[in-house]
Amino acid sequence: MAKLDEPLRKALGDRTAKVMAEGLDLHTVGDLLCHYPRRYAERGELTDLSELVEGEHVTVMAEVRKVQGRTITKRPGYLLEVTVTDGRGELMLTFFGKKAAFKPERELPPGTRALFAGKVSFYRTRQGVKKQLTHPDYRPVAASGPSGSGMSEVAREFAEELIPVYPATKGLESWKITDCVKMILDTVDIGVDPMPEPILHDHGFIRLSEAYEGIHRPKDFAELSRARKRLKWDEAFLLQLALARRRRAAGSLPAKARPRTEDGLLGEFDQRLPFTLTEGQLSVGEEIAAELAREHPMHRLLQGDVGSGKTMCALRAMLQVVDAGGQAALLAPTEVLAQQHYRSIVGMLGPLAQAGQLGGADRATRVALLTGSQGAKARRTALLDAASGAAGIVVGTHALLQEHVQFADLGLVVVDEQHRFGVEQRDALREKVSGGRPHVLVMTATPIPRTVAMTVFGDLDTSVLSQLPAGRAEIKTHVVPPEKPAFLQRAWERIREEAAQGRQTYIVCPRIGEQEGDEGDVEPKDDEGERRPPLAVLDLLPSLEEEHLSGLRIGVLHGKLHADEKEAVMQRFAARELDVLLATTVIEVGVDVPNATVMMIMDADRFGVSQLHQLRGRVGRGSLPGLCLLVTEAPDGTKIRERLAAVASTTDGFELSRLDLEQRREGDVLGAAQAGRASSLKLLTLLRDEDVILKARQEAAAVVEADPELAGSPGLAAELAALLDDERAQYLEKA
């Protein structure tokens, strides 16, 4: 009997195991059993051929309509064209070979229904674009109805059961995977079910062995539904079990309490504010203040839409820590953003940030900036201020993580845009505290649906700022499509009109224009075939200067510029010395120029939904209304255009984040997606299975509370260990 951890080569042989390992990343018997079918074909069901995408490796069921063979002068001497149909459209199957040994002509007569697997290609004829599979693999399938005595065993099975269609790879078609799974199911020993008996009973789950049988060779959809219900639960429960153990461990760690003081910088700062904090900012501020006063580390996620005032909440938390004798570090992903945070914090604090300087307040601190490209003198000063404690607040990039950067008493780490940092980088900053852990506040401007936050950040307490500060202007968004060239011309005119009124514009491109200098979250081609390379800043600049926006003052900003150049460009734009800033996504977050009113995104279809929303948030930051123009060459009716239309239809970041998640899937919710790994979720979807995740979270918390080490559930402990390989375990330990 095969065990779940047994290598596939022992169960299936070296050749098949090698293809599975290289093409599908399957290595053990358990891996193969968790390689679930993508869909199921019913008897007599034909695949909709109109949905086939060029370049995709597919498995389709279709009926042979016509078979036509002819001798050709070129080797190998015989061409066979088989036309198959779904009753509406057609697909051409092309075979080359020697006629004497040609099986398809004999095995695929008209009227035959079969599974065909191959790579879809398009070719042009006088009648239009046709789809074809060249040298596809195939397997005839029995028609519905009673099985005749002359039917093959394979045909009889297909006639009586649902047909699983698996994600396949070159050299291993879906039906070959079916054969391998069948072989494993007939010999595998699942062992004792790892799920605790009370959970199985209370939720009415079937056994794991039944679930594997039911998902790989279901007799009907009811059996399939029971199997999916159990296997979805296992995914949710194991994930929540890992997070529950992590929450418990984090709760036992020591941290220095940083309680709020009566007469300190925070109170002075609040009195000097020229505006009233929103109810959300006050509420979140109280949550953070209470946690900072505890002797266990705060670990909180602060999320809010663009412009909701997260930086204000973070600054007030940092001032509370400074009042309590500690220091706070703000870690930003880019130098542009670090400099923006530094200027913003110094500007908001005013005299409170000028300790020891002429004009500084009686109670004041210093704010230090530390980046990788600083001059030696500025860097030395920042390092001394951090190490001596003179700087209560230190803002920086990855430069803060270097070993020689020391703090006198680091009490709070604020991480801006967590997804931009690897776990090891965040951990390095925390290790600069001796005798405990710092409090951690993670900020993200990408709104996260509740279930996603609960799953991805399940070990963090979450605060949400959904209310925008008073006085923020409306932002209107329009798609500038290829079928209406007048729209693009009007867009250039509108930018000129804004400039004439003293207002400013961002124009964003996906690339810099140097082979090694790509920036941005450039989307792969979607559903309209091959496309030209994405527009680049340096390629667009000449046409702006000479044609579209001639006479306007245009600055260029991208990640390959030296830090001093980037800072100079941003300062000129902020000072209104430039009308237009042509940039990459380096300006995606944090850049704050209230006078900028237009955001024009070239090749908008190359960006994700959340990123478009982030870029749009750079305008409308003052009292002037904002305009966002999404320029695209994507044809009408494509999925890309649907995505852009959705962005144009709402400014609700939480609604858009759900759309983004539905289109992109979850990635590896245990964090390893930062290393480019595929999703660890196979059946569970974070948006559609909220109820499953909630119940799993409750059950996992109860199990960990009663048995933290899972000593009484060895099967569960083994499943968790298998999920948390070294890389993921390290991630959860450090996250």
Side-chain angles (χ1 to χ4, degrees):
M1 299 291 283
K3 301 289 186 181
L4 291 177
D5 59 356
E6 184 175 300
L8 281 174
R9 57 180 174 76
K10 291 183 66 176
L12 301 175
D14 290 340
R15 180 179 297 179
T16 301
K18 183 179 180 182
V19 176
M20 286 194 170
E22 294 177 353
L24 299 171
D25 195 25
L26 305 178
H27 305 275
T28 66
V29 167
D31 289 343
L32 179 56
L33 290 182
C34 290
H35 184 68
Y36 305 132
R38 177 182 292 160
R39 60 185 177 86
Y40 300 83
E42 296 182 78
R43 290 174 299 169
E45 177 192 47
L46 298 177
T47 305
D48 185 352
L49 300 180
S50 67
E51 294 183 352
L52 300 184
V53 177
E54 185 176 16
E56 186 179 17
H57 193 95
V58 299
T59 299
V60 301
M61 185 185 289
E63 182 175 306
V64 177
R65 169 174 285 181
K66 184 171 65 175
V67 180
Q68 190 171 15
R70 68 178 188 272
T71 302
I72 55 177
T73 56
K74 296 180 180 179
R75 298 180 65 184
Y78 196 68
L79 169 66
L80 180 69
E81 294 177 325
V82 179
T83 304
V84 299
T85 180
D86 61 358
R88 297 175 298 277
E90 292 184 346
L91 176 67
M92 179 68 74
L93 313 178
T94 305
F95 300 89
F96 300 93
K98 295 180 180 179
K99 186 171 184 180
F102 221 61
K103 292 183 180 180
E105 195 163 7
R106 300 192 302 272
E107 296 177 343
L108 298 173
T112 302
R113 289 195 172 188
L115 290 170
F116 302 97
K119 187 176 181 180
V120 180
S121 60
F122 288 6
Y123 66 98
R124 295 189 176 276
T125 68
R126 291 179 180 177
Q127 290 75 37
V129 177
K130 302 288 187 180
K131 301 174 182 178
Q132 75 172 359
L133 303 180
T134 302
H135 265 293
D137 286 289
Y138 61 90
R139 175 174 285 189
V141 176
S144 58
S147 55
S149 58
M151 262 190 191
S152 69
E153 183 64 27
V154 169
R156 194 157 33 246
E157 288 179 3
F158 278 145
E160 295 171 355
E161 298 178 3
L162 295 173
I163 302 172
V165 179
Y166 289 91
T169 187
K170 185 178 180 180
L172 198 65
E173 291 74 27
S174 174
W175 54 82
K176 292 180 181 176
I177 297 175
T178 300
D179 292 342
C180 293
V181 171
K182 180 178 182 298
M183 190 184 308
I184 293 297
L185 284 175
D186 289 342
T187 60
V188 71
D189 177 13
I190 301 295
V192 179
D193 197 309
M195 198 59 57
E197 198 66 39
I199 292 178
L200 291 177
H201 179 269
D202 292 348
H203 294 275
F205 294 130
I206 61 175
R207 298 277 168 184
L208 185 58
S209 56
E210 296 176 75
Y212 282 140
E213 183 75 27
I215 199 162
H216 287 294
R217 44 186 183 191
K219 294 180 175 62
D220 51 42
F221 282 108
E223 184 179 9
L224 175 60
S225 178
R226 290 191 293 272
R228 289 176 64 88
K229 179 182 176 184
R230 167 63 202 269
L231 295 171
K232 273 189 179 184
W233 170 266
D234 282 21
E235 287 184 9
F237 183 74
L238 284 172
L239 177 59
Q240 292 298 338
L241 197 63
L243 293 172
R245 293 181 72 183
R246 161 129 176 75
R247 283 194 300 274
R248 191 178 189 281
S252 64
L253 293 171
K256 190 172 181 179
R258 310 286 180 172
R260 184 180 287 177
T261 57
E262 289 298 324
D263 300 317
L265 288 171
L266 178 56
E268 185 75 19
F269 174 71
D270 284 348
Q271 288 181 14
R272 291 168 178 255
L273 281 177
F275 53 84
T276 303
L277 296 172
T278 66
E279 290 182 12
Q281 286 173 320
L282 290 171
S283 174
V284 168
E286 290 302 318
E287 287 178 338
I288 294 173
E291 288 197 336
L292 290 175
R294 296 174 186 160
E295 294 184 345
H296 296 289
M298 175 181 73
H299 204 192
R300 181 166 288 276
L301 173 70
L302 174 58
Q303 61 162 321
D305 216 335
V306 176
S308 57
K310 296 179 296 299
T311 304
M312 176 60 68
C313 291
L315 177 55
R316 296 182 73 242
M318 289 190 280
L319 291 176
Q320 177 174 330
V321 170
V322 173
D323 283 340
Q327 292 170 285
L330 172 56
L331 185 61
T334 66
E335 291 201 355
V336 169
L337 185 52
Q339 290 160 350
Q340 176 74 32
H341 274 310
Y342 174 75
R343 286 195 301 269
S344 177
I345 289 171
V346 169
M348 285 191 286
L349 290 177
L352 299 178
Q354 299 172 12
Q357 299 176 33
L358 190 64
D362 293 337
R363 287 192 299 264
T365 187
R366 292 184 199 167
V367 182
L369 174 66
L370 191 62
T371 64
S373 59
Q374 273 178 316
K377 183 178 179 182
R379 184 175 181 78
R380 188 162 51 248
T381 300
L383 288 170
L384 286 172
D385 283 350
S388 67
I393 298 174
V394 182
V395 181
T397 57
H398 301 76
L400 287 178
L401 308 174
Q402 296 173 1
E403 289 183 11
H404 61 271
V405 179
Q406 299 297 324
F407 293 84
D409 184 10
L410 183 58
L412 171 64
V413 175
V414 179
V415 181
D416 196 8
E417 294 302 318
Q418 161 156 348
H419 65 280
R420 301 292 189 89
F421 293 99
V423 179
E424 291 77 10
Q425 293 167 317
R426 297 194 296 273
D427 188 59
L429 194 52
R430 276 203 311 221
E431 292 301 321
K432 294 182 183 293
V433 178
S434 58
R437 290 290 185 103
H439 300 281
V440 176
L441 179 65
V442 175
M443 298 194 300
T444 178
T446 304
I448 304 170
R450 172 174 166 271
T451 313
V452 182
M454 184 181 64
T455 307
V456 181
F457 300 101
D459 55 330
L460 280 75
D461 296 307
T462 303
S463 297
V464 177
L465 286 172
S466 56
Q467 183 182 358
L468 292 180
R472 286 298 297 268
E474 178 188 12
I475 305 174
K476 291 184 177 180
T477 306
H478 300 282
V479 177
V480 181
E483 66 269 18
K484 296 181 180 179
F487 278 31
L488 183 57
Q489 186 57 41
R490 174 62 188 133
W492 300 125
E493 293 172 1
R494 181 63 186 272
I495 292 172
R496 286 184 174 278
E497 291 168 5
E498 292 293 303
Q501 298 181 62
R503 299 168 187 171
Q504 295 162 284
T505 296
Y506 296 101
I507 300 178
V508 175
C509 294
R511 292 175 54 243
I512 298 172
E514 303 167 357
Q515 187 175 0
E516 71 280 7
D518 287 356
E519 286 179 7
D521 183 15
V522 178
E523 291 285 295
K525 67 186 177 98
D526 205 325
D527 55 359
E528 84 285 20
E530 295 293 335
R531 294 196 280 175
R532 59 162 173 75
L535 277 175
V537 166
L538 300 182
D539 295 337
L540 182 61
L541 181 60
S543 64
L544 295 185
E545 292 178 328
E546 298 166 14
E547 183 183 353
H548 305 305
L549 302 178
S550 61
L552 297 188
R553 299 167 298 174
I554 302 173
V556 174
L557 184 67
H558 56 73
K560 293 296 178 180
L561 292 176
H562 188 273
D564 292 342
E565 293 178 274
K566 285 188 281 191
E567 174 69 7
V569 172
M570 280 308 305
Q571 291 284 21
R572 290 183 65 202
F573 192 64
R576 305 190 186 186
E577 296 172 10
L578 297 172
D579 301 306
V580 176
L581 185 61
L582 176 60
T584 59
T585 53
V586 71
I587 55 97
E588 178 185 351
V589 289
V591 177
D592 190 2
V593 180
N595 191 55
T597 54
V598 179
M599 168 61 71
M600 187 178 194
I601 305 174
M602 310 302 294
D603 278 349
D605 46 279
R606 311 282 181 145
F607 300 99
V609 169
S610 293
Q611 194 169 36
L612 291 172
H613 184 58
Q614 294 282 2
L615 289 167
R616 173 169 59 186
R618 296 307 101 213
V619 296
R621 299 186 71 81
S623 58
L624 299 171
L627 174 65
C628 180
L629 302 170
L630 306 177
V631 182
T632 180
E633 289 187 358
D636 192 19
T638 60
K639 291 181 181 179
I640 285 176
R641 285 287 293 275
E642 290 176 13
R643 187 168 73 221
L644 296 181
V647 175
S649 68
T650 180
T651 55
D652 185 335
F654 287 89
E655 182 180 335
L656 288 174
S657 68
R658 293 182 74 92
L659 170 71
D660 200 24
L661 186 70
E662 285 171 358
Q663 293 185 340
R664 288 172 171 264
R665 288 282 291 163
E666 292 82 357
D668 192 319
V669 296
L670 290 180
Q674 294 186 19
R677 293 181 63 156
S679 173
S680 61
L681 302 182
K682 298 181 184 300
L683 296 176
L684 193 73
T685 55
L686 299 186
L687 296 182
R688 290 192 289 271
D689 296 315
E690 293 187 47
D691 57 332
V692 177
I693 294 169
L694 276 169
K695 291 174 184 175
R697 184 178 174 89
Q698 294 164 357
E699 292 282 14
V703 167
V704 170
E705 183 66 29
D707 184 8
E709 301 304 318
L710 303 180
S713 305
L716 205 55
E719 287 283 308
L720 191 60
L723 174 70
L724 300 179
D725 56 22
D726 290 342
E727 182 182 343
R728 288 190 175 112
Q730 232 175 23
Y731 179 90
L732 285 175
E733 179 64 27
K734 292 180 178 180

